[in-house]
């Protein structure tokens, strides 16, 4: 149901095509605010976050603000987050692809409560509208279905937590359900949701409802990505995903571009490595932040080798 | 590390002792705002939520605002949430026990990001400080450890999602890890965390660090509760928890007070049934909301029969 709006898959493909496969996190935690000479208050937060927007919008594919570091400043922090998301959206020029916003909120609930989160972040006109958000599936992948529909209808996406790199995650993510790990179950459910969304888009296109001038036509990736940590072996079969894999942990957390290329060689879809500290530590000069992001992006492309 | 502050367990025991075992949710979803004749905007939200505070503070043990329904109004919605939490805290008179706030946010992350959420909701001086919050353990119970420490140090608590009533939850919550369900693993980890916290409190008391006039002395319940849906058989062993079980689903969602009494007979700790719609539907007159809550509380006490 993407109507005349480009789908998330198309928009992500355009952003990665223009700027390379890199997501940069905006993680204004107290230590980083101090490093940049800023106060640990809403004013320092705003200065930090809008500097990141200036440095990165139009230069990297995806920017990922971490909601926790805005929430810890209360409602004034959320007002800054609104400015960050609006600032990223405003950079969408008609000539060049937009840098997408991926808001890291890890929300997850059921029924009308999950709808409430979708209203906040994913619906058309959402006050904290992002191009995608992270969601948490402890209540089951199925509990996220209506949020996925809302996202897809707005040309937006979700990234579902599947397998994280932290040691404590195994108790839940590697538990077994009918011979399959919980994490693999999430990946397979995401793949099925993407199949459904892509089939619906094909049907719509065949019915002549495709947007005029919609370019190459059909998206290759559905609206449901997964989050898989980059710093450890994930053990997942990602060969049917047809979506994006957000892979946090590049740089300061320990994964190298070569690790990424090896660990995600079997993905059907696209891998979006994410770095935060290793890029943000180059600040507060926005040109230095941008240069650090571009250097990392170039290393990622070099490590990928000839693909596609 | 509760210092001279009463622990969450003590505060919860005082609230339940004074007002009975009931948690009432503040769930201002769009349909309920309309039923109350209010607009689906920050002004309607504020009117709704502060009416609930007026109706319930000093009359029920715990009030549980649902964050999603505030987030969907953006930063002005979060400003209303701040007023709700401050309003509940301000009702703490020296003469009567406080109604506690339990903010339903289901946050969950790792490392410095989880610390950010703790700063937002649990630390002393947090801008959105609540007496307790719900947290989600998809990243492993251990990822919540520092938030639990922060909560305990501030006399606050956390309620960790364990087993929810929705059908989709089984894929994750009933997956098996070393012969035990994920949900049981969460309950057992919560029990261990409570044992540690209660042992630390005992040591402190023996060292003479107990607050002067601290009443009966040691808390029976630790700072870690679990969330277990009331509308279905949970299949959990809750006999070592030494904490609170938040049991949503009373009333409109289908669980009766008799169901509750039967399903949670084996709990070591305290069961806190939670109702939202069945109470809120009595509004907008605050006296009617209060009366609905008190009637439900009385049914819960009657269904419990003679205990303790």
């Amino acid at each position: 149901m993407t109507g005349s709006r480009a789908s998330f898959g198309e928009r992500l493909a355009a952003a990665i095509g223009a700027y390379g496969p890199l997501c940069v996190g905006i993680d204004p935690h107290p230590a980083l605010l101090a490093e940049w000479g800023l106060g640990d208050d809403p004013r320092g937060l705003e200065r930090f976050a809008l500097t990141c927007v200036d440095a990165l919008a139009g230069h990297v594919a995806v920017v990922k603000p971490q909601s926790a570091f805005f929430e810890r400043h209360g409602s004034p922090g959320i007002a800054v987050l609104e400015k960050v998301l609006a600032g990223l959206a405003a950079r969408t020029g008609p000539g060049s692809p937009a840098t997408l916003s991926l808001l890291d909120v890890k929300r997850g609930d059921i029924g009308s409560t999950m709808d409430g989160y979708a209203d906040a972040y994913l619906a058309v006109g959402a006050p904290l509208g992002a191009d995608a958000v992270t969601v948490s599936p402890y209540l089951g992948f199925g509990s996220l279905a209506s949020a996925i529909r809302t996202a897809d209808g707005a040309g937006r996406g979700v990234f579902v937590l599947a397998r994280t790199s932290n040691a404590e995650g195994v108790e839940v993510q590697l538990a077994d359900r009918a011979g399959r790990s919980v994490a693999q179950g999430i990946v397979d459910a995401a793949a099925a949701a993407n199949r459904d969304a892509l089939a619906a888009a094909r049907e719509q296109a065949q019915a002549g409802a495709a947007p005029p001038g919609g370019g190459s036509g059909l998206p290759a990736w559905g609206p449901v990505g997964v989050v898989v940590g980059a710093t450890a072996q994930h053990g997942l079969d990602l060969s049917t995903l047809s979506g994006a894999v957000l892979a946090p942990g590049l740089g300061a957390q320990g994964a190298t571009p070569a690790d990424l290329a090896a660990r995600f060689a079997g993905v059907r879809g696209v891998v979006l490595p994410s770095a935060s500290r290793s890029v943000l530590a180059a600040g507060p000069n926005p040109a230095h932040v941008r240069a650090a992001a571009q250097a990392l992006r170039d290393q990622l492309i070099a490590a990928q080798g000839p693909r596609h």
Side-chain angles (χ1 to χ4, degrees), chain A:
Chain A
M1 292 280 288
T2 53
S4 63
R5 209 179 288 268
S7 73
F8 179 69
E10 292 169 286
R11 299 170 66 216
L12 183 60
I16 290 176
Y19 309 119
L22 178 63
C23 170
V24 178
I26 302 184
D27 285 16
H29 57 76
L32 213 38
L33 290 170
E35 275 178 43
W36 282 33
L38 297 168
D40 185 13
D41 52 38
R43 206 174 140 199
L45 176 75
E46 178 165 344
R47 182 75 178 276
F48 184 101
L50 295 184
T51 298
C52 291
V53 172
D54 282 343
L56 301 169
H59 297 280
V60 299
V62 179
V63 169
K64 181 171 76 67
Q66 171 50 256
S67 186
F69 298 121
F70 296 84
E71 292 178 48
R72 63 186 288 281
H73 295 280
S75 58
I78 302 300
V80 173
L81 182 57
E82 286 168 343
K83 286 188 194 176
V84 169
L85 294 167
L88 285 165
R91 303 300 182 100
T92 310
S96 62
T99 288
L100 302 187
S101 57
L102 165 52
L103 180 59
D104 200 351
V105 287
K106 296 186 177 64
R107 299 297 193 262
D109 213 301
I110 58 174
S112 63
T113 306
M114 195 65 215
D115 293 344
Y117 286 128
D119 287 349
Y121 303 106
L122 294 168
V124 174
L128 290 153
D131 294 307
V133 299
T134 55
V135 292
S136 179
Y138 190 81
L139 305 182
F141 186 92
S143 65
L144 308 170
S146 76
I148 292 170
R149 274 195 302 276
T150 297
D152 194 29
R156 292 173 162 157
V158 303
F159 285 78
V160 189
L161 291 177
R163 181 79 183 95
T164 57
S165 302
N166 65 310
E168 310 95 339
V170 301
E171 305 157 23
V172 174
Q173 298 159 19
L174 294 190
D176 178 89
R177 181 77 184 163
R180 189 171 61 168
S181 71
V182 164
Q184 186 66 53
I186 298 297
V187 169
D188 294 348
N194 284 334
R195 266 197 306 280
D196 290 350
L198 293 170
R202 259 195 310 277
E203 266 179 44
Q204 235 183 4
Q206 281 164 1
S216 63
L218 293 169
W221 309 326
V224 186
V226 293
V227 182
V228 178
T231 61
Q233 296 299 336
H234 54 72
L236 296 169
D237 177 358
L238 297 160
S239 67
T240 64
L241 180 64
S242 299
V245 179
L246 178 71
L250 183 65
Q253 287 178 261
T256 66
D259 291 336
L260 264 292
R263 282 177 191 151
F264 294 100
V267 171
R268 176 168 169 188
V270 64
V271 179
L272 190 61
S274 181
S276 298
R277 268 162 255 190
S278 55
V279 172
L280 302 174
N285 184 325
H288 297 172
V289 173
R290 184 182 306 147
Q294 288 173 330
L296 193 54
R297 186 262 325 267
D298 293 343
Q299 290 170 38
L300 285 164
I301 292 171
Q304 267 185 349
R307 280 182 85 186
H308 306 298

